[in-house]
Amino acid sequence: MRAAAAFLSFLPSALSFANTKSSVSYRASSNLMAKLGDTIDFAKYEGLGNDFILIDDRDKSDPSLTPEQSERLCNRNFGIGGDGVIFALKAPEGEDYDFTMRIYNSDGSEPEMCGNGIRCFAQFLKDLGEDAESYRIKTLAGPIIPVMNADGTITVDMGEPILDGPTVPTTLAPNSEHNSVLEQTHTCNGKEWKISAVSMGNPHAIIFVDDLENDIDFESDGPALESDTGAFPAKTNVEFVQVMSPTHLKMKVWERGAGPTLACGTGTCALVVAAIRAGKVPRAGKEGVRVTLPGGDLFIEWREENNKVYMSGPATFSFKGQATLKDRP
């Protein structure tokens, strides 16, 4: 506890926990970039256990924290703890957006997008008073549109999946229509895998198995596949998937830059696309395919009429507070 306090100090009066109504009302700092010793305001959200630190930078065009500072805040022993830090930034001038979202992973790397993160981002905006039925968000993966549902869930138009192998990007040989990689044989970590490559603005390697508990060595196979730059030059997220029924899939995810997480929204979208293309499940209607992740369920629809993928699930406020940036660990 002393070690944690040496890096991070919370102001107890600022904390609100998940069993109370979310009320994120602090004002964004006017500093362009936070410095050591500065106190920052934050809010903590989670989407099926995939947890994020949210920073209100609506008066800025760029994040107020560096990747290194974000990595420290994500440290679960010396910092707040989280799978990433998400910044709510103003929309670019002259462009058709409401806000911009940037995210740094817990290792300081910057992904193009995050499915669970975008739901948390939308809920954060609502709690800040930006009350709208939907938001048009600029991300590094392109425009993303979350819609706030009456039941408290959030449906996100994730856009069209990218199937072209070199664009994913992967160097695995295309073996299916649209120049795509579908259950292509590849050896990694001393094992032979059948890999489907899909991008939802970020790369995913999807592998179908008969038994999630016995067919993989998750802690070994996950990072080996993630960092196999011979096959995925930008590294990749890795999803291991078991088909439970024609409308139900179960998965474990090893996220690029974050490792094992309880949920991955873009990965869930990518694996449903791969499952439909490989004939593992039929294309579902608006109710979507149920995907069970370690943190809970998401529902994914790959809509035939416009080729877009829609993800529905929760985003939950946990607590808010203040933290002092210090040069540890």
Side-chain angles (χ1 to χ4, degrees):
M1 195 67 180
R2 289 178 182 172
F7 171 69
L8 177 74
S9 65
F10 290 115
L11 300 187
S13 62
L15 295 178
S16 298
F17 291 92
N19 59 359
T20 65
K21 183 179 179 180
S22 169
S23 178
V24 184
S25 58
Y26 54 79
R27 183 172 57 86
S29 168
S30 60
N31 292 335
L32 181 62
M33 184 66 71
K35 305 179 294 296
L36 292 180
D38 284 355
T39 297
I40 62 164
D41 299 301
F42 71 89
K44 187 79 182 293
Y45 285 76
E46 55 88 10
L48 300 182
N50 200 186
D51 60 332
F52 303 95
I53 301 160
L54 278 292
I55 305 292
D56 181 9
D57 276 348
R58 288 174 294 163
D59 61 346
K60 301 179 181 67
S61 300
D62 296 297
S64 57
L65 300 180
T66 66
E68 293 77 17
Q69 290 168 336
S70 299
E71 181 180 0
R72 290 172 189 147
L73 286 184
C74 288
N75 189 292
R76 297 187 185 276
N77 298 108
F78 294 96
I80 300 166
D83 292 321
V85 180
I86 296 175
F87 303 88
L89 302 162
K90 64 183 180 181
E93 289 187 18
E95 296 188 32
D96 185 24
Y97 292 101
D98 298 313
F99 300 95
T100 298
M101 172 179 136
R102 295 272 299 276
I103 177 172
Y104 294 138
N105 286 325
S106 58
D107 69 350
S109 62
E110 182 171 15
E112 298 86 349
M113 228 289 286
C114 174
N116 288 309
I118 195 74
R119 296 199 318 277
C120 291
F121 183 91
Q123 187 63 50
F124 182 52
L125 291 176
K126 181 178 180 180
D127 293 343
L128 285 168
E130 303 283 358
D131 201 3
E133 289 185 3
S134 66
Y135 307 94
R136 185 173 174 84
I137 309 301
K138 179 180 177 65
T139 75
L140 296 183
I144 302 292
I145 303 172
V147 176
M148 315 303 287
N149 299 321
D151 64 359
T153 62
I154 299 169
T155 297
V156 184
D157 174 355
M158 300 289 284
E160 298 185 43
I162 297 168
L163 303 177
D164 177 72
T167 307
V168 170
T170 180
T171 60
L172 296 178
N175 63 345
S176 188
E177 60 181 346
H178 308 299
N179 201 40
S180 64
V181 174
L182 185 65
E183 296 202 289
Q184 177 65 279
T185 301
H186 177 65
T187 300
C188 178
N189 207 30
K191 301 176 182 179
E192 188 173 278
W193 308 95
K194 289 186 176 181
I195 297 177
S196 298
V198 177
S199 171
M200 293 301 305
N202 55 353
H204 295 270
I206 300 103
I207 297 169
F208 294 96
V209 298
D210 293 329
D211 189 329
L212 275 176
E213 303 306 320
N214 297 311
D215 289 354
I216 60 172
D217 182 346
F218 184 63
E219 296 292 335
S220 174
D221 296 331
L225 288 158
E226 174 205 8
S227 58
D228 185 357
T229 54
F232 291 90
K235 296 189 176 181
T236 188
N237 301 281
V238 185
E239 287 81 28
F240 299 101
V241 188
Q242 181 176 345
V243 179
M244 308 302 289
S245 80
T247 58
H248 183 200
L249 302 171
K250 186 177 181 181
M251 64 95 89
K252 284 185 176 181
V253 58
W254 189 278
E255 287 200 48
R256 181 183 61 166
T261 61
L262 296 177
C264 177
T266 55
T268 307
C269 295
L271 71 87
V272 169
V273 169
I276 292 170
R277 297 191 70 238
K280 307 290 184 181
V281 298
R283 193 187 290 260
K286 291 192 180 297
E287 69 279 3
V289 176
R290 174 189 170 199
V291 182
T292 297
L293 306 94
D297 290 346
L298 289 174
F299 291 85
I300 309 297
E301 178 195 2
W302 185 18
R303 199 168 292 177
E304 194 165 13
E305 64 194 47
N306 60 9
N307 198 41
K308 290 186 176 183
V309 181
Y310 295 83
M311 170 188 64
S312 296
T316 305
F317 171 75
S318 299
F319 61 90
K320 63 177 180 176
Q322 294 182 317
T324 301
L325 292 175
K326 297 190 176 180
D327 194 17
R328 289 191 61 178

